[in-house]
Amino acid sequence: MWALTEPKIKADFLFLDEAQDTNPVLEQVFAAQRGHAQLVMVGDSAQAIYGWRGAQDVMTGFDATHLTLTRSFRFGPLLAEQANRWLAFTDTPIRLTGSKTIPTKVGLVTYPDAVLCRTNIGAMTEVMKQLKIGRRVALARGGQELNALALAARDLKNGRRTAHPELVLFPSWGELQEYAEYDPAGRDLQPFVELVDTHGPEAIIAAVDALTKEDEAEVTVSTAHKAKGREWPKVRIADDFPPPPDSDQLDDNGRPIPEPVSDTDARLAYVAVTRARRQLDLGGLAWIEDQPAAVDRV
């Protein structure tokens, strides 16, 4: 409604950050200021991970001087190599170099500062794991979403349907259990079902209540989407990043050749691995080590 009033923002300069994930209404308001203000867009096309909700990479068609920063001042060469492995599966031409003065390591991290997950359900599983070993845990942007999932599970287990968008299609907990166990499309829900069956919804609700503020926590659990734009010294990737399914083709030894990594999955993995400054544990993305390398499009 505000955009329809054709607002004029009184400024000499306008700076649009995260421009690779801009909704069309904001783009329209921003572009309309060109007559009286200098417009600057900043972003990373390879981090465009919100297309599913209508966001667009508005930098590609922006009438302006394009300047590229490819050297990272967050991490060193080893992590840049990991980032470039994922970038090769995308259609973005950028490739990174790390700062030689930053000795970033890639390997096992026992006590990470952050654990990055693919889904909210994965984050719920990781919160329970970290609380179990006695660490003070924070959840990026709070625990409301996890609490809502636990309440939805409680409704299903008590024979009531739920309006939760991730579980609304299931008439009972038994239907959800069957779907998670036997339908390949339900594999994302399997950890959630196991968690609820093992601990019960009330334990999950109690775990959400036990969360700590980030500035007081020993570890922050986040989805990769919510981690975009952030960084931590030591990062571990959670276990809910599945490898691509096998294709119908076989290698020379008769083993199925996996499907190529999708552009969408590669972008999200790229965001996740580049959140670390000092140490990265590939964790649930370690399967990339056995994945056929992408044919670099640069």
Side-chain angles (χ1 to χ4, degrees), residues 122-165:
M124 175 184 289
T125 303
E126 194 59 46
V127 164
M128 297 290 286
K129 287 181 181 178
Q130 294 295 322
L131 287 172
K132 187 176 181 179
I133 63 175
R135 302 193 79 193
R136 296 191 304 276
V137 184
L139 185 67
R141 301 188 191 176
Q144 295 87 348
E145 293 176 352
L146 299 195
N147 194 66
L149 274 168
L151 292 173
R154 186 172 68 182
D155 285 342
L156 288 175
K157 288 181 77 69
N158 289 337
R160 298 188 300 269
R161 297 197 70 134
T162 176
H164 193 284

Coordinates of all heavy atoms in Angstrom, one line a residue, residues 122-165:
G122 N 15.5 -30.0 11.3 CA 16.9 -30.3 11.6 C 17.4 -29.5 12.7 O 18.2 -30.0 13.6
A123 N 17.0 -28.2 12.8 CA 17.4 -27.4 13.9 C 16.8 -27.9 15.2 O 17.5 -27.8 16.3 CB 16.9 -25.9 13.6
M124 N 15.6 -28.4 15.2 CA 15.0 -28.9 16.5 C 15.9 -30.1 16.9 O 16.2 -30.2 18.1 CB 13.6 -29.4 16.2 CG 12.9 -30.0 17.4 SD 11.3 -30.7 17.0 CE 10.4 -29.1 16.8
T125 N 16.2 -31.0 16.0 CA 17.1 -32.1 16.4 C 18.4 -31.7 17.0 O 18.9 -32.3 18.0 CB 17.3 -33.0 15.1 OG1 16.0 -33.4 14.6 CG2 18.1 -34.3 15.5
E126 N 19.0 -30.7 16.4 CA 20.3 -30.2 16.8 C 20.2 -29.5 18.2 O 21.1 -29.7 19.0 CB 20.9 -29.3 15.8 CG 22.4 -29.0 16.0 CD 23.2 -30.3 15.9 OE1 23.1 -31.1 15.0 OE2 24.1 -30.4 16.8
V127 N 19.2 -28.8 18.4 CA 19.0 -28.2 19.7 C 18.9 -29.2 20.8 O 19.6 -29.1 21.9 CB 17.7 -27.3 19.7 CG1 17.3 -27.0 21.2 CG2 17.9 -26.0 19.0
M128 N 18.2 -30.3 20.6 CA 18.1 -31.4 21.6 C 19.4 -32.0 21.8 O 19.8 -32.3 22.9 CB 17.1 -32.4 21.1 CG 15.7 -31.9 20.9 SD 14.8 -31.5 22.5 CE 14.5 -33.2 23.1
K129 N 20.2 -32.2 20.7 CA 21.6 -32.8 20.9 C 22.5 -32.0 21.7 O 23.2 -32.4 22.6 CB 22.2 -33.0 19.5 CG 21.6 -34.1 18.7 CD 22.4 -34.2 17.3 CE 21.8 -35.3 16.4 NZ 22.5 -35.3 15.1
Q130 N 22.5 -30.7 21.4 CA 23.4 -29.8 22.2 C 23.0 -29.6 23.6 O 23.8 -29.5 24.5 CB 23.4 -28.4 21.4 CG 24.0 -28.4 20.1 CD 25.5 -28.8 20.1 OE1 26.2 -28.4 20.9 NE2 25.9 -29.5 19.1
L131 N 21.7 -29.6 23.9 CA 21.2 -29.5 25.3 C 21.6 -30.7 26.0 O 21.9 -30.7 27.2 CB 19.7 -29.2 25.3 CG 19.2 -27.9 24.9 CD1 17.7 -27.8 24.8 CD2 19.7 -26.8 25.9
K132 N 21.5 -31.9 25.4 CA 21.8 -33.2 26.0 C 23.2 -33.2 26.5 O 23.5 -33.9 27.5 CB 21.5 -34.3 25.0 CG 21.6 -35.7 25.7 CD 21.2 -36.8 24.7 CE 21.3 -38.1 25.3 NZ 20.9 -39.2 24.4
I133 N 24.2 -32.6 25.8 CA 25.6 -32.6 26.2 C 25.9 -31.5 27.1 O 27.1 -31.3 27.5 CB 26.5 -32.7 25.0 CG1 26.4 -31.4 24.2 CG2 26.3 -33.9 24.2 CD1 27.4 -31.3 23.0
G134 N 24.9 -30.7 27.5 CA 25.1 -29.7 28.6 C 25.5 -28.4 28.1 O 26.0 -27.6 28.9
R135 N 25.4 -28.1 26.8 CA 25.8 -26.7 26.4 C 24.7 -25.7 26.4 O 23.5 -26.1 26.4 CB 26.3 -26.8 24.9 CG 27.5 -27.8 24.7 CD 28.1 -27.6 23.4 NE 29.0 -26.5 23.4 CZ 29.5 -25.9 22.3 NH1 29.2 -26.4 21.1 NH2 30.4 -24.9 22.3
R136 N 25.0 -24.5 26.6 CA 24.0 -23.4 26.6 C 23.7 -23.1 25.1 O 24.6 -22.7 24.4 CB 24.5 -22.2 27.3 CG 24.8 -22.4 28.8 CD 25.0 -21.0 29.5 NE 26.1 -20.3 28.9 CZ 27.4 -20.5 29.2 NH1 27.7 -21.4 30.1 NH2 28.3 -19.7 28.7
V137 N 22.5 -23.2 24.7 CA 22.1 -23.2 23.3 C 21.2 -22.0 23.0 O 20.2 -21.7 23.8 CB 21.4 -24.5 22.9 CG1 21.1 -24.5 21.4 CG2 22.2 -25.7 23.3
A138 N 21.5 -21.3 21.9 CA 20.6 -20.3 21.4 C 20.1 -20.8 20.0 O 20.8 -21.5 19.3 CB 21.3 -19.0 21.3
L139 N 18.9 -20.3 19.7 CA 18.4 -20.6 18.3 C 18.2 -19.3 17.6 O 17.6 -18.3 18.1 CB 17.1 -21.3 18.5 CG 16.4 -21.8 17.2 CD1 17.3 -22.9 16.5 CD2 15.0 -22.3 17.5
A140 N 18.7 -19.2 16.4 CA 18.6 -17.9 15.6 C 17.1 -17.6 15.5 O 16.3 -18.4 15.1 CB 19.3 -18.1 14.3
R141 N 16.8 -16.3 15.8 CA 15.5 -15.8 15.8 C 14.5 -16.5 16.7 O 13.3 -16.4 16.4 CB 15.0 -15.8 14.3 CG 15.8 -15.0 13.4 CD 15.2 -14.9 12.0 NE 16.1 -14.3 11.0 CZ 15.9 -14.2 9.7 NH1 14.7 -14.5 9.3 NH2 16.8 -13.7 8.9
G142 N 15.0 -17.1 17.7 CA 14.1 -17.6 18.7 C 13.5 -19.0 18.4 O 13.7 -19.6 17.4
G143 N 12.7 -19.5 19.4 CA 12.2 -20.9 19.3 C 10.7 -21.0 18.9 O 10.2 -22.1 19.1
Q144 N 10.1 -19.9 18.4 CA 8.7 -19.9 18.2 C 8.3 -21.0 17.2 O 7.3 -21.7 17.3 CB 8.2 -18.6 17.7 CG 8.3 -17.5 18.7 CD 9.7 -16.8 18.7 OE1 10.6 -17.3 18.1 NE2 9.7 -15.6 19.4
E145 N 9.2 -21.1 16.1 CA 8.8 -22.1 15.0 C 8.9 -23.5 15.6 O 8.1 -24.4 15.2 CB 9.7 -21.9 13.8 CG 9.5 -20.6 13.1 CD 10.5 -20.3 12.0 OE1 11.4 -21.1 11.8 OE2 10.3 -19.4 11.2
L146 N 10.0 -23.8 16.4 CA 10.1 -25.1 16.9 C 9.0 -25.5 17.9 O 8.5 -26.6 18.0 CB 11.5 -25.3 17.6 CG 12.7 -25.1 16.8 CD1 13.9 -25.6 17.5 CD2 12.6 -25.8 15.4
N147 N 8.6 -24.5 18.7 CA 7.5 -24.7 19.6 C 6.2 -25.0 18.9 O 5.5 -25.9 19.3 CB 7.4 -23.4 20.5 CG 6.5 -23.7 21.7 OD1 6.9 -24.4 22.6 ND2 5.3 -23.0 21.7
A148 N 6.0 -24.3 17.8 CA 4.8 -24.6 17.0 C 4.8 -26.0 16.4 O 3.8 -26.6 16.4 CB 4.7 -23.5 15.9
L149 N 6.0 -26.5 16.0 CA 6.1 -27.8 15.5 C 5.8 -28.9 16.6 O 5.1 -29.8 16.4 CB 7.5 -28.1 14.9 CG 7.7 -27.7 13.5 CD1 9.2 -27.7 13.2 CD2 6.9 -28.6 12.5
A150 N 6.3 -28.6 17.8 CA 6.1 -29.5 18.9 C 4.6 -29.5 19.3 O 4.0 -30.6 19.6 CB 6.9 -29.1 20.1
L151 N 3.9 -28.4 19.3 CA 2.5 -28.3 19.6 C 1.7 -29.0 18.5 O 0.7 -29.7 18.9 CB 2.1 -26.9 19.7 CG 2.6 -26.1 20.9 CD1 2.2 -24.6 20.8 CD2 2.1 -26.7 22.2
A152 N 2.1 -28.9 17.3 CA 1.4 -29.6 16.2 C 1.6 -31.1 16.4 O 0.6 -31.9 16.2 CB 2.0 -29.2 14.8
A153 N 2.8 -31.6 16.7 CA 3.0 -33.0 17.0 C 2.1 -33.5 18.1 O 1.5 -34.6 18.1 CB 4.5 -33.3 17.3
R154 N 2.0 -32.7 19.2 CA 1.2 -33.1 20.3 C -0.3 -33.2 19.9 O -1.0 -34.2 20.3 CB 1.3 -32.0 21.4 CG 0.5 -32.4 22.7 CD 0.9 -31.5 23.8 NE 0.3 -30.2 23.6 CZ 0.5 -29.1 24.4 NH1 1.2 -29.3 25.5 NH2 -0.1 -28.0 24.2
D155 N -0.8 -32.3 19.1 CA -2.2 -32.4 18.6 C -2.4 -33.7 17.8 O -3.4 -34.4 18.0 CB -2.5 -31.2 17.7 CG -2.7 -29.9 18.4 OD1 -2.9 -30.0 19.7 OD2 -2.6 -28.9 17.8
L156 N -1.4 -34.0 16.9 CA -1.6 -35.3 16.1 C -1.5 -36.5 17.0 O -2.3 -37.5 16.8 CB -0.5 -35.3 15.0 CG -0.6 -34.3 13.9 CD1 0.7 -34.4 13.0 CD2 -1.8 -34.6 13.1
K157 N -0.7 -36.5 18.0 CA -0.6 -37.7 18.8 C -1.8 -37.8 19.7 O -2.1 -38.9 20.2 CB 0.7 -37.6 19.7 CG 2.0 -37.8 18.9 CD 3.2 -37.7 19.8 CE 3.4 -39.0 20.6 NZ 3.8 -40.1 19.8
N158 N -2.5 -36.7 20.0 CA -3.7 -36.8 20.8 C -5.0 -36.9 19.9 O -6.1 -36.8 20.4 CB -3.8 -35.5 21.6 CG -2.8 -35.4 22.7 OD1 -2.3 -36.4 23.2 ND2 -2.5 -34.2 23.2
G159 N -4.7 -37.3 18.6 CA -5.9 -37.5 17.7 C -6.5 -36.3 17.1 O -7.6 -36.4 16.6
R160 N -5.9 -35.2 17.2 CA -6.5 -34.0 16.6 C -5.6 -33.5 15.4 O -4.4 -33.6 15.4 CB -6.5 -32.8 17.6 CG -7.3 -33.1 18.8 CD -7.5 -31.8 19.7 NE -6.1 -31.4 20.2 CZ -5.6 -31.7 21.3 NH1 -6.2 -32.6 22.1 NH2 -4.4 -31.3 21.7
R161 N -6.3 -33.0 14.4 CA -5.6 -32.5 13.2 C -4.9 -31.2 13.6 O -5.3 -30.5 14.6 CB -6.5 -32.3 12.0 CG -7.1 -33.6 11.5 CD -7.6 -33.4 10.1 NE -6.6 -33.2 9.1 CZ -6.5 -33.8 8.0 NH1 -7.5 -34.7 7.6 NH2 -5.5 -33.6 7.1
T162 N -3.9 -30.8 12.9 CA -3.2 -29.5 13.2 C -3.3 -28.6 11.9 O -3.4 -29.1 10.8 CB -1.8 -29.8 13.5 OG1 -1.1 -28.5 13.7 CG2 -1.0 -30.5 12.4
A163 N -3.2 -27.3 12.2 CA -3.2 -26.3 11.1 C -1.7 -25.9 10.7 O -1.5 -25.1 9.9 CB -4.0 -25.1 11.5
H164 N -0.7 -26.6 11.4 CA 0.6 -26.2 11.1 C 0.9 -26.5 9.6 O 0.7 -27.6 9.1 CB 1.6 -27.0 12.0 CG 3.0 -26.5 11.9 ND1 3.8 -26.7 10.8 CD2 3.7 -25.8 12.8 CE1 5.0 -26.2 11.1 NE2 5.0 -25.6 12.3
P165 N 1.5 -25.6 8.9 CA 1.7 -25.7 7.4 C 2.5 -26.9 7.0 O 2.3 -27.5 5.9 CB 2.3 -24.4 7.0 CG 2.9 -23.8 8.2 CD 2.0 -24.2 9.3

